[in-house]
Structures are given as structure tokens and as C-alpha cells.
Amino acid sequence: MASETVTETADAPERAGLADGVDLARALEAIFMVVDEPQSVVGLASAVGRPVKEVRAAIASLVADYDGEPDPTAGPDAPARPRRGFELREVGGGWRLYVRAEFDDVVRDFVHTQAPAKLSQAALETLAVIAYKQPISRGAVASIRAVNVDSVVRTLLSRGLITEAFTDSETGAIHYETTDLLLTQLGINSLDELPQISPLLDDGQDGFDDVR
């Protein structure tokens, strides 16, 4: 037990963080309101000057609160709390607030009416090819899309959504792969959670068009 305590506190040494009497869960809530990227438990513990174990427990209480579970401190007959339109989700090795899936459409419509799409259709199509075929060279992407993708690839690189994976020693072609930022933007933990595209493809029962 003593060694566990030392380990937890060693991960997040005491420092000037929360003042006495400040609620840890609400302090973390305030942090989640302003961050753009998932925050690790250790990083949060360092920021508030509390042991990692306490921060994990506070995060769990926030998750239960946002999910509308009864307050465990209010007794066994406590009513369920309102389920929020957002959730605290663990993504990419950290925690961040996200819109609940059932509200994706209304939020998407709102965003689209407030500002134009951040990526063009060509950029989205190129990003999809790289996501599903990575690591892949620029020439291979251009072959699949049947258009020049040089400027689009530069745009995706500048946005941090893709990165250079390696350079082929024989051809000199740079191969690209997606970054953790894409996982964050999509709200997933790994590329394995991308939707399967095989159900969307023609099964060939009626033959294929002769494309030349």
C-alpha cells in the first residue's frame, strides 16, 4: 500500500496547484473547457498538484455526472442527474470533452451555417485515401484519385493531419501516414475504429464498367 502511494504521488509531485477547499473535479472540468487536445492523467495531476489516483477518481466522477448517473454521495435513493449533451471521453491517450453522438447532426449543421468547411472536398478525399491505404506515396494517391494531389498533400501536411512516414530507398518516393491529430479530430482511439468501406463497394455480381 505504501509503495502504491509513493508511485502515484511520484507521478505528480505536490506543487502550487489548487488552493485549499477548491473542488478537484470542478477544477478539472474548467481545464477541459479550454483545452483543444486530449489531456493525460499525469499531465492533469501535475497541473493541479494532486496525486494521479485522485485525478483518476475525479475524472470518473465527472464521467458519471455527465452521463446522468445518480450522485453516489446523495444516498441510494438519489434520482438520476440530467444527461449532458457532451461527454468526457478518453481518446488518444488522454481525456477531452466531445459532443455526444446523438447530437452530431445538429452541431454539424450549426457549424456549417456559421463557417465554411475547413477542408475542401479534394482534401477530404485525399485524406481518406491516405487513412485507408497508409503508408502510401503521393504518386499512388494521385493514381487512385486520377488527379494531381501535390497541393492537397501540402495542405494536409500544413494542417498536421498527415506526416511523412518514410522515403523509399529505391524510388525516392515519400510515403505518408495520418497523425494522432486526425484521431483526435475524429474522436477515435485508433485507425481500427474507422468505418469499413467494403459494404459500400460494388460486389461485381452485375459486372463492372469497362473504364479506360
Side-chain angles (χ1 to χ4, degrees):
M1 180 64 71
S3 60
E4 179 182 354
T5 303
V6 171
T7 300
E8 292 290 357
T9 54
D11 288 342
E14 290 294 334
R15 47 167 284 182
L18 297 183
D20 293 340
V22 175
D23 186 273
L24 174 58
R26 297 310 160 195
L28 294 174
E29 181 178 55
I31 292 175
F32 288 130
M33 290 295 294
V34 299
V35 297
D36 295 324
E37 299 179 353
Q39 304 297 304
S40 70
V41 174
V42 172
L44 291 168
S46 178
V48 298
R50 295 290 182 85
V52 171
K53 185 175 182 179
E54 289 184 16
V55 171
R56 286 200 185 102
I59 289 175
S61 71
L62 287 175
V63 171
D65 182 3
Y66 300 156
D67 288 348
E69 298 178 9
D71 184 353
T73 65
D77 298 327
R81 292 172 288 190
R83 190 166 183 262
R84 310 295 182 85
F86 55 87
E87 62 181 333
L88 187 55
R89 191 189 310 167
E90 186 176 17
V91 172
W95 292 86
R96 182 187 173 196
L97 292 174
Y98 287 90
V99 174
R100 289 195 184 278
E102 59 262 41
F103 302 114
D104 279 346
D105 289 342
V106 66
V107 172
R108 185 183 302 111
D109 291 344
F110 172 79
V111 171
H112 286 173
T113 60
Q114 298 299 310
K118 293 183 179 180
L119 290 177
S120 66
Q121 184 65 32
L124 290 173
E125 291 174 1
T126 299
L127 182 59
V129 171
I130 295 174
Y132 281 97
K133 302 288 288 185
Q134 63 184 308
I136 185 172
S137 68
R138 187 178 308 190
V141 175
S143 178
I144 293 173
R145 294 202 56 231
V147 295
N148 186 292
V149 297
D150 289 356
S151 63
V152 175
V153 168
R154 285 195 295 270
T155 296
L156 295 175
L157 282 169
S158 67
R159 299 289 182 88
L161 296 172
I162 64 172
T163 187
E164 296 179 1
F166 65 91
T167 301
D168 190 290
S169 58
E170 295 183 1
T171 66
I174 299 174
H175 286 63
Y176 299 91
E177 62 184 9
T178 56
T179 65
D180 289 340
L181 177 59
L182 178 63
L183 299 181
T184 300
Q185 296 297 326
L186 295 177
I188 59 178
N189 280 299
S190 73
L191 294 171
D192 294 335
E193 296 180 38
L194 286 173
Q196 297 295 317
I197 61 174
S198 54
L200 305 176
L201 301 177
D202 195 322
D203 59 10
Q205 292 183 352
D206 299 324
F208 296 96
D209 293 334
D210 185 13
V211 179
R212 298 183 185 276

